[in-house]
Amino acid sequence: MNNAAQTRAIQLAVIVGSLRAQSYSRKIARALAARAPDSMRCRFIEIGDLPLYNEDLEGEDPPRAWSTFRAEIRSADAVLFVTPEYNRSIPGCLKNALDVGSRPSGKSVFKGLPAGVVSVTPNKLGAFGANHALRQTFVFLDMPVMQQPEAYFSTVADLLDDKGGVKSSETAGSLEKFMSALEDWIRTIRPDDASFEAFMRQREKIAEDYVNGDAKSLEAIVTHAEPATFFSPRGDHLQGANAVASRYERDARSFHEGGSTDLEVLQSSASGGLAFWTGLQHAEARMGKNGETTAMTLRVTEVFRFEDGAFRLVHRHADPAKAG
Ligand SMILES: Cc1cc2nc3c(=O)[nH]c(=O)nc-3n(C[C@H](O)[C@H](O)[C@H](O)COP(=O)(O)O)c2cc1C
């Protein structure tokens, strides 16, 4: 679990798929929000006033409610959907909200946002259909959704007291567990500054290996996906994941053991699957036939993409700041 003091709070948009004043789904959503970890801020986004999606209304001046809704989702890190089941699927109001957020084409506000799903029914049998119909939309919306734990609340009225709170500690515990798992899931998909800082400590060690002629640890963090670019201190540049990876490997061979380096990070940030640092790399490297020690300072910018659960180097620009 992440330490709230070190990590940026997650902005979680909560969308309830029911417009009913006494909605069980909303009561469960409130109970979930009340049990969110301290490092999560839950914000209920209302969907009841969204005009039905109609492509003819797009353009310069779409309905204000659509623009507001899109802006609200855009400012969120993740979305929690809490929905009833209508005719073994999701209610029309929820589908409409998804349609509104998904357009104009190519500008979907949902793309890449991690999601959690909770479905609710007052009946014994139900909630499964809505849960999975919603998950089906995430394929095209390109929303990574938490798989476990699943959350289907049947006979939901029995779980709630007169004031809308949950009756049993067992239910409270499962809501809390769900929110905690959701936080972990969101942080896996959208790493923040704190996890990038941890990665940068590893990056420093990798740079040290490199100036000692060992490219293996760098190879482990270099992307194998496109695009990839490298602007070398010699002034040339190349692009393409394979070309860049083999260049790093070849350049490492020009260093002998006994070098050292230090990254002076002037600025760094991570957000939404991308991260960068920029600053100075001070190095004392043993190079050439005789392995003479050369001191150098490079101005460096590196960009990383979060791929397969880890940061990968996708761009490096380095040029000499001064030679010593
Ligand atoms: C149009 C409609 C279709 C429904 N279809 C289902 C269904 O397929 N499965 C189910 O379990 N309940 C179904 N119900 C009952 C709802 O689960 C119930 O009304 C529930 O209270 C709605 O959620 P809410 O309390 O959050 O508004 C349906 C209700 C409506 C109004």
Side-chain angles (χ1 to χ4, degrees):
M1 185 56 49
N2 292 287
N3 181 342
Q6 292 170 358
T7 52
R8 190 176 70 81
I10 291 169
Q11 307 298 323
L12 182 69
V14 181
I15 296 183
V16 176
S18 169
L19 308 182
R20 219 164 62 82
Q22 291 305 316
S23 159
Y24 296 123
S25 309
R26 186 169 291 271
K27 287 173 186 164
I28 291 291
R30 285 201 193 111
L32 283 159
R35 285 164 185 82
D38 291 345
S39 51
M40 255 183 177
R41 305 272 174 282
C42 296
R43 182 160 175 225
F44 282 70
I45 309 292
E46 300 306 328
I47 59 173
D49 291 335
L50 293 174
L52 280 182
Y53 188 74
N54 175 351
E55 221 166 341
D56 294 345
L57 305 181
E58 291 286 11
E60 293 290 291
D61 195 21
R64 180 174 292 202
W66 288 5
S67 307
T68 306
F69 175 75
R70 288 166 178 166
E72 285 169 333
I73 299 296
R74 230 181 263 118
S75 69
D77 295 312
V79 188
L80 169 62
F81 295 91
V82 185
T83 186
E85 178 169 279
Y86 275 14
N87 299 313
R88 298 285 178 257
S89 186
I90 56 173
C93 63
L94 180 54
K95 182 60 166 57
N96 184 51
L98 293 169
D99 294 342
V100 168
S102 72
R103 296 279 142 165
S105 180
K107 291 191 175 163
S108 168
V109 293
F110 290 116
K111 188 176 167 55
L113 282 190
V117 180
V118 173
S119 55
V120 163
T121 179
N123 305 318
K124 273 194 195 140
L125 183 82
F128 182 87
N131 197 303
H132 287 257
L134 185 52
R135 285 167 190 272
Q136 188 178 326
T137 68
F138 297 155
V139 177
F140 193 69
L141 291 171
D142 199 6
M143 295 181 84
V145 59
M146 182 169 77
Q147 304 292 358
Q148 293 293 332
E150 294 159 274
Y152 316 98
F153 289 97
S154 54
T155 54
V156 65
D158 298 344
L159 305 178
L160 298 165
D161 63 24
D162 297 346
K163 292 183 186 130
V166 293
K167 273 186 199 161
S168 75
S169 55
E170 198 189 330
T171 308
S174 69
L175 297 178
E176 198 172 320
K177 216 164 138 193
F178 182 90
M179 292 306 277
S180 167
L182 185 60
E183 183 195 13
D184 285 350
W185 166 249
I186 295 165
R187 291 202 188 277
T188 306
I189 300 296
R190 292 175 79 86
D192 61 6
D193 285 349
S195 47
F196 186 57
E197 273 167 33
F199 170 80
M200 279 303 292
R201 288 191 283 281
Q202 186 195 344
R203 175 72 190 95
E204 191 120 24
K205 164 79 176 70
I206 291 168
E208 187 88 18
D209 288 348
Y210 196 80
V211 295
N212 280 280
D214 176 4
K216 282 218 176 60
S217 53
L218 179 68
E219 197 186 310
I221 62 156
V222 167
T223 186
H224 291 287
E226 306 298 345
T229 43
F230 172 53
F231 290 70
S232 99
R234 285 176 221 147
D236 63 316
H237 70 274
L238 59 160
Q239 61 186 40
N242 285 342
V244 169
S246 31
R247 174 65 179 271
Y248 286 138
E249 203 197 332
R250 204 177 69 224
D251 283 5
R253 281 190 235 124
S254 58
F255 299 112
H256 303 282
E257 274 185 45
S260 66
T261 189
D262 171 43
L263 305 183
E264 185 185 339
V265 176
L266 298 175
Q267 221 179 9
S268 74
S269 189
S271 166
L274 278 179
F276 82 95
W277 76 272
T278 189
L280 299 171
Q281 179 168 7
H282 307 282
E284 290 208 349
R286 294 187 54 230
M287 301 170 79
K289 267 190 193 156
N290 305 324
E292 289 147 22
T293 301
T294 312
M296 63 183 111
T297 296
L298 301 173
R299 292 185 296 212
V300 175
T301 298
E302 289 185 342
V303 179
F304 301 85
R305 207 168 39 224
F306 204 68
E307 293 169 5
D308 304 327
F311 286 110
R312 309 277 174 203
L313 179 61
V314 295
H315 168 83
R316 175 176 162 96
H317 182 278
D319 61 1
K322 60 181 183 208

PDB file of all heavy atoms in Angstrom, residues 225-254:
ATOM      1  N   ALA A 225       9.370  -0.749 -28.009  1.00  0.00           N
ATOM      2  CA  ALA A 225       8.198  -0.314 -28.789  1.00  0.00           C
ATOM      3  C   ALA A 225       8.497   1.047 -29.413  1.00  0.00           C
ATOM      4  O   ALA A 225       9.349   1.793 -28.936  1.00  0.00           O
ATOM      5  CB  ALA A 225       6.989  -0.219 -27.864  1.00  0.00           C
ATOM      6  N   GLU A 226       7.790   1.345 -30.479  1.00  0.00           N
ATOM      7  CA  GLU A 226       7.978   2.649 -31.150  1.00  0.00           C
ATOM      8  C   GLU A 226       7.052   3.689 -30.517  1.00  0.00           C
ATOM      9  O   GLU A 226       6.026   3.306 -29.971  1.00  0.00           O
ATOM     10  CB  GLU A 226       7.642   2.522 -32.643  1.00  0.00           C
ATOM     11  CG  GLU A 226       8.399   1.434 -33.359  1.00  0.00           C
ATOM     12  CD  GLU A 226       9.921   1.628 -33.359  1.00  0.00           C
ATOM     13  OE1 GLU A 226      10.396   2.741 -33.052  1.00  0.00           O
ATOM     14  OE2 GLU A 226      10.619   0.659 -33.642  1.00  0.00           O
ATOM     15  N   PRO A 227       7.367   4.969 -30.587  1.00  0.00           N
ATOM     16  CA  PRO A 227       8.583   5.552 -31.129  1.00  0.00           C
ATOM     17  C   PRO A 227       9.698   5.576 -30.088  1.00  0.00           C
ATOM     18  O   PRO A 227       9.444   5.567 -28.895  1.00  0.00           O
ATOM     19  CB  PRO A 227       8.139   6.975 -31.469  1.00  0.00           C
ATOM     20  CG  PRO A 227       7.064   7.290 -30.491  1.00  0.00           C
ATOM     21  CD  PRO A 227       6.384   5.986 -30.172  1.00  0.00           C
ATOM     22  N   ALA A 228      10.944   5.602 -30.587  1.00  0.00           N
ATOM     23  CA  ALA A 228      12.102   5.709 -29.710  1.00  0.00           C
ATOM     24  C   ALA A 228      13.146   6.566 -30.425  1.00  0.00           C
ATOM     25  O   ALA A 228      13.330   6.437 -31.637  1.00  0.00           O
ATOM     26  CB  ALA A 228      12.666   4.325 -29.427  1.00  0.00           C
ATOM     27  N   THR A 229      13.794   7.445 -29.677  1.00  0.00           N
ATOM     28  CA  THR A 229      14.784   8.337 -30.298  1.00  0.00           C
ATOM     29  C   THR A 229      15.990   8.519 -29.386  1.00  0.00           C
ATOM     30  O   THR A 229      15.883   8.404 -28.165  1.00  0.00           O
ATOM     31  CB  THR A 229      14.183   9.744 -30.565  1.00  0.00           C
ATOM     32  OG1 THR A 229      13.427  10.140 -29.433  1.00  0.00           O
ATOM     33  CG2 THR A 229      13.319   9.773 -31.791  1.00  0.00           C
ATOM     34  N   PHE A 230      17.142   8.824 -29.993  1.00  0.00           N
ATOM     35  CA  PHE A 230      18.358   9.092 -29.237  1.00  0.00           C
ATOM     36  C   PHE A 230      19.148  10.183 -29.941  1.00  0.00           C
ATOM     37  O   PHE A 230      19.461  10.056 -31.128  1.00  0.00           O
ATOM     38  CB  PHE A 230      19.195   7.807 -29.126  1.00  0.00           C
ATOM     39  CG  PHE A 230      20.557   8.018 -28.519  1.00  0.00           C
ATOM     40  CD1 PHE A 230      20.697   8.667 -27.293  1.00  0.00           C
ATOM     41  CD2 PHE A 230      21.700   7.572 -29.159  1.00  0.00           C
ATOM     42  CE1 PHE A 230      21.955   8.872 -26.726  1.00  0.00           C
ATOM     43  CE2 PHE A 230      22.967   7.770 -28.597  1.00  0.00           C
ATOM     44  CZ  PHE A 230      23.091   8.424 -27.386  1.00  0.00           C
ATOM     45  N   PHE A 231      19.410  11.255 -29.206  1.00  0.00           N
ATOM     46  CA  PHE A 231      20.240  12.347 -29.719  1.00  0.00           C
ATOM     47  C   PHE A 231      21.543  12.276 -28.936  1.00  0.00           C
ATOM     48  O   PHE A 231      21.558  12.528 -27.734  1.00  0.00           O
ATOM     49  CB  PHE A 231      19.543  13.704 -29.515  1.00  0.00           C
ATOM     50  CG  PHE A 231      18.347  13.892 -30.405  1.00  0.00           C
ATOM     51  CD1 PHE A 231      17.185  13.145 -30.203  1.00  0.00           C
ATOM     52  CD2 PHE A 231      18.373  14.809 -31.450  1.00  0.00           C
ATOM     53  CE1 PHE A 231      16.075  13.310 -31.028  1.00  0.00           C
ATOM     54  CE2 PHE A 231      17.270  14.980 -32.282  1.00  0.00           C
ATOM     55  CZ  PHE A 231      16.115  14.221 -32.064  1.00  0.00           C
ATOM     56  N   SER A 232      22.629  11.907 -29.614  1.00  0.00           N
ATOM     57  CA  SER A 232      23.867  11.604 -28.893  1.00  0.00           C
ATOM     58  C   SER A 232      24.689  12.869 -28.636  1.00  0.00           C
ATOM     59  O   SER A 232      24.536  13.871 -29.337  1.00  0.00           O
ATOM     60  CB  SER A 232      24.690  10.586 -29.693  1.00  0.00           C
ATOM     61  OG  SER A 232      25.688  11.250 -30.420  1.00  0.00           O
ATOM     62  N   PRO A 233      25.596  12.816 -27.655  1.00  0.00           N
ATOM     63  CA  PRO A 233      26.453  13.974 -27.357  1.00  0.00           C
ATOM     64  C   PRO A 233      27.343  14.349 -28.535  1.00  0.00           C
ATOM     65  O   PRO A 233      27.878  15.444 -28.594  1.00  0.00           O
ATOM     66  CB  PRO A 233      27.300  13.499 -26.175  1.00  0.00           C
ATOM     67  CG  PRO A 233      26.597  12.306 -25.623  1.00  0.00           C
ATOM     68  CD  PRO A 233      25.817  11.700 -26.736  1.00  0.00           C
ATOM     69  N   ARG A 234      27.505  13.415 -29.500  1.00  0.00           N
ATOM     70  CA  ARG A 234      28.343  13.727 -30.672  1.00  0.00           C
ATOM     71  C   ARG A 234      27.592  14.553 -31.706  1.00  0.00           C
ATOM     72  O   ARG A 234      28.131  14.954 -32.721  1.00  0.00           O
ATOM     73  CB  ARG A 234      28.815  12.430 -31.329  1.00  0.00           C
ATOM     74  CG  ARG A 234      29.916  11.769 -30.518  1.00  0.00           C
ATOM     75  CD  ARG A 234      30.306  10.446 -31.123  1.00  0.00           C
ATOM     76  NE  ARG A 234      30.514   9.480 -30.077  1.00  0.00           N
ATOM     77  CZ  ARG A 234      30.274   8.193 -30.160  1.00  0.00           C
ATOM     78  NH1 ARG A 234      29.792   7.678 -31.272  1.00  0.00           N
ATOM     79  NH2 ARG A 234      30.515   7.399 -29.153  1.00  0.00           N
ATOM     80  N   GLY A 235      26.320  14.745 -31.501  1.00  0.00           N
ATOM     81  CA  GLY A 235      25.553  15.603 -32.404  1.00  0.00           C
ATOM     82  C   GLY A 235      24.695  14.839 -33.384  1.00  0.00           C
ATOM     83  O   GLY A 235      23.850  15.427 -34.054  1.00  0.00           O
ATOM     84  N   ASP A 236      24.886  13.529 -33.491  1.00  0.00           N
ATOM     85  CA  ASP A 236      24.048  12.765 -34.417  1.00  0.00           C
ATOM     86  C   ASP A 236      22.799  12.281 -33.671  1.00  0.00           C
ATOM     87  O   ASP A 236      22.728  12.350 -32.442  1.00  0.00           O
ATOM     88  CB  ASP A 236      24.813  11.571 -34.984  1.00  0.00           C
ATOM     89  CG  ASP A 236      25.214  10.593 -33.900  1.00  0.00           C
ATOM     90  OD1 ASP A 236      25.688  11.062 -32.843  1.00  0.00           O
ATOM     91  OD2 ASP A 236      25.038   9.379 -34.074  1.00  0.00           O
ATOM     92  N   HIS A 237      21.823  11.810 -34.424  1.00  0.00           N
ATOM     93  CA  HIS A 237      20.642  11.252 -33.768  1.00  0.00           C
ATOM     94  C   HIS A 237      20.073  10.106 -34.578  1.00  0.00           C
ATOM     95  O   HIS A 237      20.349   9.980 -35.778  1.00  0.00           O
ATOM     96  CB  HIS A 237      19.578  12.325 -33.526  1.00  0.00           C
ATOM     97  CG  HIS A 237      18.917  12.807 -34.772  1.00  0.00           C
ATOM     98  ND1 HIS A 237      19.436  13.823 -35.536  1.00  0.00           N
ATOM     99  CD2 HIS A 237      17.773  12.414 -35.382  1.00  0.00           C
ATOM    100  CE1 HIS A 237      18.632  14.038 -36.564  1.00  0.00           C
ATOM    101  NE2 HIS A 237      17.624  13.197 -36.501  1.00  0.00           N
ATOM    102  N   LEU A 238      19.342   9.250 -33.892  1.00  0.00           N
ATOM    103  CA  LEU A 238      18.722   8.128 -34.599  1.00  0.00           C
ATOM    104  C   LEU A 238      17.365   7.826 -33.994  1.00  0.00           C
ATOM    105  O   LEU A 238      17.072   8.239 -32.859  1.00  0.00           O
ATOM    106  CB  LEU A 238      19.602   6.882 -34.617  1.00  0.00           C
ATOM    107  CG  LEU A 238      20.055   6.242 -33.332  1.00  0.00           C
ATOM    108  CD1 LEU A 238      20.469   4.799 -33.596  1.00  0.00           C
ATOM    109  CD2 LEU A 238      21.266   6.985 -32.810  1.00  0.00           C
ATOM    110  N   GLN A 239      16.537   7.108 -34.748  1.00  0.00           N
ATOM    111  CA  GLN A 239      15.229   6.743 -34.239  1.00  0.00           C
ATOM    112  C   GLN A 239      14.876   5.318 -34.598  1.00  0.00           C
ATOM    113  O   GLN A 239      15.481   4.738 -35.508  1.00  0.00           O
ATOM    114  CB  GLN A 239      14.152   7.707 -34.725  1.00  0.00           C
ATOM    115  CG  GLN A 239      13.987   7.767 -36.219  1.00  0.00           C
ATOM    116  CD  GLN A 239      13.002   8.868 -36.592  1.00  0.00           C
ATOM    117  OE1 GLN A 239      13.014   9.946 -36.009  1.00  0.00           O
ATOM    118  NE2 GLN A 239      12.151   8.592 -37.542  1.00  0.00           N
ATOM    119  N   GLY A 240      13.924   4.758 -33.849  1.00  0.00           N
ATOM    120  CA  GLY A 240      13.546   3.356 -34.023  1.00  0.00           C
ATOM    121  C   GLY A 240      14.071   2.566 -32.841  1.00  0.00           C
ATOM    122  O   GLY A 240      15.261   2.685 -32.489  1.00  0.00           O
ATOM    123  N   ALA A 241      13.182   1.767 -32.222  1.00  0.00           N
ATOM    124  CA  ALA A 241      13.530   1.080 -30.975  1.00  0.00           C
ATOM    125  C   ALA A 241      14.764   0.184 -31.131  1.00  0.00           C
ATOM    126  O   ALA A 241      15.666   0.228 -30.291  1.00  0.00           O
ATOM    127  CB  ALA A 241      12.333   0.269 -30.486  1.00  0.00           C
ATOM    128  N   ASN A 242      14.838  -0.594 -32.207  1.00  0.00           N
ATOM    129  CA  ASN A 242      15.972  -1.513 -32.364  1.00  0.00           C
ATOM    130  C   ASN A 242      17.273  -0.762 -32.565  1.00  0.00           C
ATOM    131  O   ASN A 242      18.292  -1.079 -31.957  1.00  0.00           O
ATOM    132  CB  ASN A 242      15.757  -2.447 -33.564  1.00  0.00           C
ATOM    133  CG  ASN A 242      14.732  -3.518 -33.222  1.00  0.00           C
ATOM    134  OD1 ASN A 242      14.463  -3.752 -32.045  1.00  0.00           O
ATOM    135  ND2 ASN A 242      14.152  -4.132 -34.247  1.00  0.00           N
ATOM    136  N   ALA A 243      17.215   0.268 -33.426  1.00  0.00           N
ATOM    137  CA  ALA A 243      18.430   1.050 -33.715  1.00  0.00           C
ATOM    138  C   ALA A 243      18.944   1.714 -32.439  1.00  0.00           C
ATOM    139  O   ALA A 243      20.151   1.693 -32.158  1.00  0.00           O
ATOM    140  CB  ALA A 243      18.112   2.103 -34.769  1.00  0.00           C
ATOM    141  N   VAL A 244      18.038   2.285 -31.654  1.00  0.00           N
ATOM    142  CA  VAL A 244      18.442   2.984 -30.436  1.00  0.00           C
ATOM    143  C   VAL A 244      19.026   1.994 -29.428  1.00  0.00           C
ATOM    144  O   VAL A 244      20.090   2.231 -28.844  1.00  0.00           O
ATOM    145  CB  VAL A 244      17.243   3.760 -29.827  1.00  0.00           C
ATOM    146  CG1 VAL A 244      17.581   4.273 -28.435  1.00  0.00           C
ATOM    147  CG2 VAL A 244      16.849   4.920 -30.735  1.00  0.00           C
ATOM    148  N   ALA A 245      18.342   0.842 -29.249  1.00  0.00           N
ATOM    149  CA  ALA A 245      18.818  -0.150 -28.265  1.00  0.00           C
ATOM    150  C   ALA A 245      20.213  -0.644 -28.638  1.00  0.00           C
ATOM    151  O   ALA A 245      21.093  -0.753 -27.774  1.00  0.00           O
ATOM    152  CB  ALA A 245      17.834  -1.311 -28.173  1.00  0.00           C
ATOM    153  N   SER A 246      20.447  -0.925 -29.936  1.00  0.00           N
ATOM    154  CA  SER A 246      21.784  -1.439 -30.275  1.00  0.00           C
ATOM    155  C   SER A 246      22.856  -0.356 -30.171  1.00  0.00           C
ATOM    156  O   SER A 246      24.008  -0.642 -29.855  1.00  0.00           O
ATOM    157  CB  SER A 246      21.834  -2.158 -31.625  1.00  0.00           C
ATOM    158  OG  SER A 246      20.931  -1.644 -32.500  1.00  0.00           O
ATOM    159  N   ARG A 247      22.456   0.897 -30.402  1.00  0.00           N
ATOM    160  CA  ARG A 247      23.426   1.998 -30.245  1.00  0.00           C
ATOM    161  C   ARG A 247      23.868   2.125 -28.778  1.00  0.00           C
ATOM    162  O   ARG A 247      25.055   2.303 -28.480  1.00  0.00           O
ATOM    163  CB  ARG A 247      22.789   3.297 -30.730  1.00  0.00           C
ATOM    164  CG  ARG A 247      23.624   4.537 -30.483  1.00  0.00           C
ATOM    165  CD  ARG A 247      24.936   4.532 -31.280  1.00  0.00           C
ATOM    166  NE  ARG A 247      25.678   5.736 -31.025  1.00  0.00           N
ATOM    167  CZ  ARG A 247      25.529   6.866 -31.735  1.00  0.00           C
ATOM    168  NH1 ARG A 247      24.718   6.896 -32.779  1.00  0.00           N
ATOM    169  NH2 ARG A 247      26.222   7.934 -31.423  1.00  0.00           N
ATOM    170  N   TYR A 248      22.916   2.034 -27.847  1.00  0.00           N
ATOM    171  CA  TYR A 248      23.280   2.101 -26.428  1.00  0.00           C
ATOM    172  C   TYR A 248      24.292   1.000 -26.098  1.00  0.00           C
ATOM    173  O   TYR A 248      25.273   1.211 -25.402  1.00  0.00           O
ATOM    174  CB  TYR A 248      22.048   1.922 -25.524  1.00  0.00           C
ATOM    175  CG  TYR A 248      21.115   3.122 -25.461  1.00  0.00           C
ATOM    176  CD1 TYR A 248      19.727   2.959 -25.498  1.00  0.00           C
ATOM    177  CD2 TYR A 248      21.612   4.417 -25.330  1.00  0.00           C
ATOM    178  CE1 TYR A 248      18.862   4.039 -25.421  1.00  0.00           C
ATOM    179  CE2 TYR A 248      20.750   5.510 -25.265  1.00  0.00           C
ATOM    180  CZ  TYR A 248      19.377   5.318 -25.311  1.00  0.00           C
ATOM    181  OH  TYR A 248      18.527   6.388 -25.239  1.00  0.00           O
ATOM    182  N   GLU A 249      24.013  -0.174 -26.618  1.00  0.00           N
ATOM    183  CA  GLU A 249      24.874  -1.317 -26.320  1.00  0.00           C
ATOM    184  C   GLU A 249      26.291  -1.078 -26.873  1.00  0.00           C
ATOM    185  O   GLU A 249      27.285  -1.310 -26.189  1.00  0.00           O
ATOM    186  CB  GLU A 249      24.254  -2.575 -26.936  1.00  0.00           C
ATOM    187  CG  GLU A 249      24.729  -3.824 -26.248  1.00  0.00           C
ATOM    188  CD  GLU A 249      24.462  -5.063 -27.083  1.00  0.00           C
ATOM    189  OE1 GLU A 249      23.506  -5.066 -27.877  1.00  0.00           O
ATOM    190  OE2 GLU A 249      25.255  -6.008 -26.941  1.00  0.00           O
ATOM    191  N   ARG A 250      26.336  -0.579 -28.103  1.00  0.00           N
ATOM    192  CA  ARG A 250      27.642  -0.347 -28.744  1.00  0.00           C
ATOM    193  C   ARG A 250      28.424   0.745 -28.002  1.00  0.00           C
ATOM    194  O   ARG A 250      29.606   0.588 -27.713  1.00  0.00           O
ATOM    195  CB  ARG A 250      27.410   0.069 -30.199  1.00  0.00           C
ATOM    196  CG  ARG A 250      28.597  -0.232 -31.085  1.00  0.00           C
ATOM    197  CD  ARG A 250      28.332   0.108 -32.523  1.00  0.00           C
ATOM    198  NE  ARG A 250      28.238   1.532 -32.757  1.00  0.00           N
ATOM    199  CZ  ARG A 250      27.312   2.120 -33.504  1.00  0.00           C
ATOM    200  NH1 ARG A 250      26.375   1.388 -34.084  1.00  0.00           N
ATOM    201  NH2 ARG A 250      27.288   3.420 -33.681  1.00  0.00           N
ATOM    202  N   ASP A 251      27.736   1.836 -27.662  1.00  0.00           N
ATOM    203  CA  ASP A 251      28.421   2.953 -26.992  1.00  0.00           C
ATOM    204  C   ASP A 251      28.981   2.535 -25.632  1.00  0.00           C
ATOM    205  O   ASP A 251      30.033   3.018 -25.209  1.00  0.00           O
ATOM    206  CB  ASP A 251      27.463   4.144 -26.805  1.00  0.00           C
ATOM    207  CG  ASP A 251      27.269   4.921 -28.105  1.00  0.00           C
ATOM    208  OD1 ASP A 251      27.804   4.474 -29.145  1.00  0.00           O
ATOM    209  OD2 ASP A 251      26.572   5.951 -28.084  1.00  0.00           O
ATOM    210  N   ALA A 252      28.271   1.634 -24.938  1.00  0.00           N
ATOM    211  CA  ALA A 252      28.740   1.200 -23.606  1.00  0.00           C
ATOM    212  C   ALA A 252      30.121   0.576 -23.705  1.00  0.00           C
ATOM    213  O   ALA A 252      30.930   0.672 -22.774  1.00  0.00           O
ATOM    214  CB  ALA A 252      27.749   0.221 -22.992  1.00  0.00           C
ATOM    215  N   ARG A 253      30.370  -0.069 -24.867  1.00  0.00           N
ATOM    216  CA  ARG A 253      31.660  -0.769 -25.026  1.00  0.00           C
ATOM    217  C   ARG A 253      32.857   0.190 -25.056  1.00  0.00           C
ATOM    218  O   ARG A 253      33.992  -0.229 -24.921  1.00  0.00           O
ATOM    219  CB  ARG A 253      31.642  -1.630 -26.289  1.00  0.00           C
ATOM    220  CG  ARG A 253      30.882  -2.930 -26.036  1.00  0.00           C
ATOM    221  CD  ARG A 253      31.063  -3.907 -27.175  1.00  0.00           C
ATOM    222  NE  ARG A 253      29.770  -4.313 -27.689  1.00  0.00           N
ATOM    223  CZ  ARG A 253      29.346  -4.217 -28.931  1.00  0.00           C
ATOM    224  NH1 ARG A 253      30.143  -3.747 -29.868  1.00  0.00           N
ATOM    225  NH2 ARG A 253      28.144  -4.609 -29.273  1.00  0.00           N
ATOM    226  N   SER A 254      32.597   1.489 -25.266  1.00  0.00           N
ATOM    227  CA  SER A 254      33.720   2.437 -25.291  1.00  0.00           C
ATOM    228  C   SER A 254      34.184   2.818 -23.883  1.00  0.00           C
ATOM    229  O   SER A 254      35.177   3.519 -23.725  1.00  0.00           O
ATOM    230  CB  SER A 254      33.346   3.692 -26.092  1.00  0.00           C
ATOM    231  OG  SER A 254      32.208   4.279 -25.522  1.00  0.00           O
TER     232      SER A 254
END
